[in-house]
Amino acid sequence: PSTDAKTAYELAERLRSNFENHKFEIQGHSIKQTLSMGVSQLNPKMNSPDSLLEDADKKLYQSKTDGRNRVTI
């Protein structure tokens, strides 16, 4: 809340990078995971909170389409 799109993107990118660089230990095996995210900002064209979530969801799927392990705004 109360965060502009640029700052939200920077936070999401920092989270994505930290997640990518973390080593997960599962049953004695180290695995690497990646994270894709979509970032959206409420604007006058959106008429409900659901519109904001729908836009963020579209951005998430765009991240996956564009190659995963990225943030799309």
Side-chain angles (χ1 to χ4, degrees):
S2 302
T3 303
D4 63 20
K6 180 180 183 282
T7 304
Y9 173 82
E10 290 168 352
L11 173 60
E13 181 56 34
R14 204 165 51 241
L15 290 169
R16 186 209 59 75
S17 178
N18 287 340
F19 191 86
E20 176 185 28
N21 292 315
H22 183 79
K23 292 182 182 176
F24 293 91
E25 294 291 329
I26 298 178
Q27 298 178 345
H29 299 282
S30 181
I31 63 169
K32 193 172 180 177
Q33 294 288 304
T34 61
L35 184 64
S36 298
M37 288 187 269
V39 175
S40 183
Q41 182 175 11
L42 191 62
N43 67 56
K45 294 179 184 179
M46 295 175 177
N47 56 10
S48 72
D50 288 340
S51 298
L52 178 65
L53 292 175
E54 287 172 18
D55 190 58
D57 193 49
K58 287 178 188 175
K59 302 287 191 309
L60 166 62
Y61 282 97
Q62 188 63 50
S63 287
K64 291 180 177 188
T65 299
D66 290 346
R68 300 178 181 256
N69 194 31
R70 63 187 64 228
V71 177
T72 301
I73 188 167

